[in-house]
Amino acid sequence: MRARYGFVGLFLLMAPSAYALELGPPPVLAPQKSQAEAANLSAQFLERYAYKPVPLDDALSAKIMDRYLKSLDPDRSFFLQADIDKFMVNKTRIDDAIVNEDLKIPFSIFNVYSQRVVDRMAYARDLLKQGFDFSAKEDFPLSREDDPWAQSEAQLHDLWRKSVKNDWLRLKLAGQTSDTIRNTLDKRYENIQQRVYTYKSDDVFQSFMAAYTTSVDPHTDYFGAAASADFDISMKLSLVGIGAVLQERDGYTTIRELVPGGPAQLSGQLGVGDRIIGVGQGKDGAVKEVVGIRLDEVVQLIRGEKDSVVRLDILPAETAANASHRVISLVRDKISLEKQAAKKTVLPIDDHGVPRKIGVITLPAFYEDFDARRKGDKDYRSASRDVAKLLGELKQEKVDGVLIDLRDNGGGSLTEAIDLTGLFVGKGPVVQQRDAAGRVEVESDDLSKPAWAGPVGVLINRGSASASEIFAAAIQDYGRGVIIGEPSFGKGTVQTVIDLDQAVRNNTPKYGQLKLTIAQFFRIDGGTTQLRGVTPDITLPGLLDPKIVGESSYDNALPWDKIKPARYTASNKTTSLLPQLLSRHEARVKDDKDFQRFVEDAAELKAQREKRVISLNEAERREEMKALESRLKARAEGDDGVLRGEDDGLQANERSLSADLALENARKNAKDVLRAEAASIIADQAELLAPVRKAANQP
């Protein structure tokens, strides 16, 4: 089971344990009148103004029910099949409940669910009183999201026995004593158990509305009035914090987005999807486990005074829930435009004995100082302005080519994406936008001539989204440069936020906000970046799993589509070179030890992800650890520095057992290894274009 510490609970067919009796039944939550009205109001906007309206009927009702149950019990470790059968009696009545402003159905399900968490966690805590036989030959399922619901209490008990046993074994392999393990796990399960008693009707409503809105499309969402007032579920800790957007996912506080220029992003130690399982204050403060703790409470723990230290216990996104974790230290800081700004570096490349210089511009976001621009400041900062300045400096340094690094750039200002494209292609269309009525608008840049006419490449990965994809797609469609890396995220839609209270002229905030999709982006060649993203001309290996990261990971993402191409003139200079560039790339990386090491780590990661079960036999687990340690040690010998790096906060015995150590190394090495190869590709491009540029009398 991947994780089962979210909203939890349901009926038990046995007497509750002593723990459950001590705590008493969880509170019975009921919907408020304003919530039912907000649901109805949201439905009206979604049916009238969404880009692809989905009628609120029996079919959508069934989808909402499925998504709601999945959000509550993603690994099917709480509900029995009999309970699901009872719930499904109402699966086609959700639409009527919204229209009639009667939300008893989702609230009744949640109340049943709340009781189950108390009972299941009580059972888990009872298991800690006994020992486990780690010599037995049995496996633990890493995920049950597609498995059948349990048919009996006995089946569920066996699943939880294996779950607790796996938690215990992981800590035992980390060198912890039985007493420490028992205390750690008991506190964890108690946190989850106690959490149920803190739930409010707003939490239930938010969960239900999320199931509704995301059943329409993945980027449609709802934020209740209380969520906006108390804590935004996608809040940015950018004022005094680590610079991250957090969300609750499967019971874990998860990194949803890294704020460009924030401590988290600049450290290079955190990635999207990483799970925070503990928070400590200062350099030496004890790390408090936060699995099962409410998101707003975790946010408060992470916030703090500027320049103070916070330590985070991290379970990396690339690993299974059973993998070892690591502790990192971050210094809290404010996010400034300066820290988000584009930066350049010059990489020396040996191109078949010819020294070349490739200028690399790293752009973390398509930013713009809207306030300064609104005030009429002629020198306001923006991504395109800063890149233009850097291109001028690179010209002075006489670089042979330019690489724009857009990895993990989640987007930003559309205007900036258009203006940035103009720096490389000059005047012409950049992107097309179609609204819900089918009207198509072509967005163009009006720069008379490009700021850089030399060889150029764009480095992207799965985290490159939205505005990044618009820029990369335009460069590719014009044949202006080489796109290198992984297929991008695939977000080709436009959202807007509607304040429901303002919409109905309600002076007292009570209805919240609705984010809905209103338009779609299309490339100038007529295709869309939606779903498929931008496919690189030369593909490099990546770390993130496309099954869980990217638009295609959503089961109801809007489909790929095509419209009439815009009028533009493409060049075939770079396009004609692609076969030669690919051939040179393949020949080079075949003998590049650093690159092949990264390929091995990516393969190791893929193998770990594809594992369906993990052994609960201690000897087998230790043998797996030993094999991995041997492989890493052999790889490190004679290659100074491979396993070195900043202290990650782990003791030696815990670091040595890390089944994800190779993956951690891959994350650390990805930036330099992939950037170096991309720069070499641009150097090849520069060499192959040199005769053409000389004939055209271009610098």
Short mmCIF file of all heavy atoms in Angstrom, two decimals, residues 4 61 76 102 150-151 193 220 225 249 253 265 283 318 327 560:
data_model
loop_
_atom_site.label_atom_id
_atom_site.label_comp_id
_atom_site.label_asym_id
_atom_site.label_seq_id
_atom_site.Cartn_x
_atom_site.Cartn_y
_atom_site.Cartn_z
N ARG A 4 -1.63 5.37 3.31
CA ARG A 4 -3.03 5.26 3.71
C ARG A 4 -3.30 6.15 4.89
O ARG A 4 -3.99 5.79 5.84
CB ARG A 4 -3.38 3.81 4.02
CG ARG A 4 -2.31 3.10 4.83
CD ARG A 4 -2.80 1.73 5.23
NE ARG A 4 -2.52 0.75 4.22
CZ ARG A 4 -1.32 0.20 4.03
NH1 ARG A 4 -0.31 0.60 4.73
NH2 ARG A 4 -1.15 -0.72 3.13
N SER A 61 -22.12 12.12 -12.05
CA SER A 61 -22.37 11.76 -10.66
C SER A 61 -21.58 10.51 -10.27
O SER A 61 -20.96 10.46 -9.21
CB SER A 61 -23.87 11.52 -10.44
OG SER A 61 -24.13 11.12 -9.12
N ARG A 76 -7.40 1.38 -0.90
CA ARG A 76 -8.44 0.40 -0.60
C ARG A 76 -8.09 -0.43 0.64
O ARG A 76 -8.21 -1.66 0.63
CB ARG A 76 -8.69 -0.49 -1.80
CG ARG A 76 -9.08 0.30 -3.04
CD ARG A 76 -9.56 -0.54 -4.18
NE ARG A 76 -10.09 0.32 -5.25
CZ ARG A 76 -10.80 -0.12 -6.28
NH1 ARG A 76 -11.06 -1.40 -6.40
NH2 ARG A 76 -11.24 0.73 -7.19
N ASP A 102 -28.53 19.59 -1.25
CA ASP A 102 -28.62 18.64 -0.15
C ASP A 102 -27.39 17.72 -0.21
O ASP A 102 -27.33 16.81 -1.05
CB ASP A 102 -29.91 17.82 -0.25
CG ASP A 102 -30.08 16.86 0.92
OD1 ASP A 102 -29.17 16.77 1.75
OD2 ASP A 102 -31.14 16.20 0.99
N ALA A 150 -11.42 -5.26 -0.03
CA ALA A 150 -11.39 -6.43 0.85
C ALA A 150 -12.81 -6.95 1.07
O ALA A 150 -13.76 -6.18 1.22
CB ALA A 150 -10.75 -6.07 2.18
N GLN A 151 -12.92 -8.26 1.09
CA GLN A 151 -14.22 -8.89 1.27
C GLN A 151 -14.56 -9.11 2.73
O GLN A 151 -15.73 -9.34 3.07
CB GLN A 151 -14.24 -10.24 0.53
CG GLN A 151 -14.05 -10.14 -0.97
CD GLN A 151 -15.22 -9.45 -1.66
OE1 GLN A 151 -16.37 -9.65 -1.30
NE2 GLN A 151 -14.92 -8.62 -2.66
N GLN A 193 -4.78 9.01 14.12
CA GLN A 193 -6.02 8.75 14.85
C GLN A 193 -6.62 10.04 15.41
O GLN A 193 -7.81 10.32 15.25
CB GLN A 193 -5.71 7.75 15.98
CG GLN A 193 -6.92 7.07 16.58
CD GLN A 193 -6.47 6.01 17.58
OE1 GLN A 193 -5.51 6.21 18.32
NE2 GLN A 193 -7.14 4.88 17.60
N THR A 220 -9.39 22.15 -12.97
CA THR A 220 -10.53 22.84 -12.38
C THR A 220 -10.54 22.51 -10.90
O THR A 220 -10.34 21.37 -10.51
CB THR A 220 -11.84 22.40 -13.05
OG1 THR A 220 -11.82 22.82 -14.41
CG2 THR A 220 -13.05 23.00 -12.36
N ALA A 225 -14.43 29.17 1.29
CA ALA A 225 -14.19 30.45 1.96
C ALA A 225 -13.27 30.28 3.16
O ALA A 225 -12.35 31.07 3.38
CB ALA A 225 -15.51 31.07 2.39
N ARG A 249 -1.44 14.91 -0.03
CA ARG A 249 -1.67 13.87 -1.02
C ARG A 249 -1.46 12.51 -0.37
O ARG A 249 -0.38 12.22 0.12
CB ARG A 249 -0.72 14.04 -2.21
CG ARG A 249 -1.01 13.07 -3.35
CD ARG A 249 -0.29 13.46 -4.62
NE ARG A 249 -0.63 12.59 -5.72
CZ ARG A 249 -0.23 12.76 -6.97
NH1 ARG A 249 0.52 13.81 -7.28
NH2 ARG A 249 -0.58 11.92 -7.92
N THR A 253 2.22 15.36 3.51
CA THR A 253 2.45 16.74 3.08
C THR A 253 3.45 16.66 1.94
O THR A 253 4.59 16.25 2.13
CB THR A 253 3.00 17.60 4.23
OG1 THR A 253 2.03 17.67 5.27
CG2 THR A 253 3.32 19.00 3.74
N GLN A 265 14.13 25.57 -3.70
CA GLN A 265 14.56 25.41 -5.09
C GLN A 265 16.06 25.65 -5.24
O GLN A 265 16.74 24.92 -5.95
CB GLN A 265 13.77 26.38 -5.97
CG GLN A 265 13.97 26.20 -7.47
CD GLN A 265 15.02 27.14 -8.04
OE1 GLN A 265 15.27 28.21 -7.49
NE2 GLN A 265 15.64 26.74 -9.12
N LYS A 283 19.30 23.88 14.04
CA LYS A 283 20.28 22.89 13.59
C LYS A 283 20.23 21.60 14.39
O LYS A 283 20.60 20.54 13.90
CB LYS A 283 21.69 23.49 13.67
CG LYS A 283 21.91 24.67 12.73
CD LYS A 283 23.32 25.21 12.84
CE LYS A 283 23.53 26.38 11.89
NZ LYS A 283 24.91 26.95 12.01
N GLU A 318 10.74 9.97 -5.96
CA GLU A 318 11.08 8.89 -6.89
C GLU A 318 11.04 7.52 -6.24
O GLU A 318 11.22 6.50 -6.90
CB GLU A 318 12.50 9.10 -7.47
CG GLU A 318 12.64 10.38 -8.26
CD GLU A 318 13.18 11.51 -7.39
OE1 GLU A 318 13.12 11.39 -6.15
OE2 GLU A 318 13.66 12.50 -7.96
N VAL A 327 17.26 13.65 5.97
CA VAL A 327 16.99 14.93 6.62
C VAL A 327 17.82 16.01 5.93
O VAL A 327 19.02 15.86 5.74
CB VAL A 327 17.33 14.88 8.12
CG1 VAL A 327 17.10 16.24 8.76
CG2 VAL A 327 16.49 13.81 8.83
N TRP A 560 -5.65 15.68 -26.89
CA TRP A 560 -4.86 16.42 -27.87
C TRP A 560 -5.79 16.80 -29.02
O TRP A 560 -6.72 16.09 -29.36
CB TRP A 560 -3.72 15.54 -28.38
CG TRP A 560 -2.77 16.25 -29.29
CD1 TRP A 560 -1.65 16.96 -28.93
CD2 TRP A 560 -2.84 16.33 -30.72
NE1 TRP A 560 -1.03 17.48 -30.04
CE2 TRP A 560 -1.73 17.12 -31.16
CE3 TRP A 560 -3.72 15.84 -31.67
CZ2 TRP A 560 -1.49 17.39 -32.49
CZ3 TRP A 560 -3.49 16.12 -33.01
CH2 TRP A 560 -2.38 16.88 -33.41
#
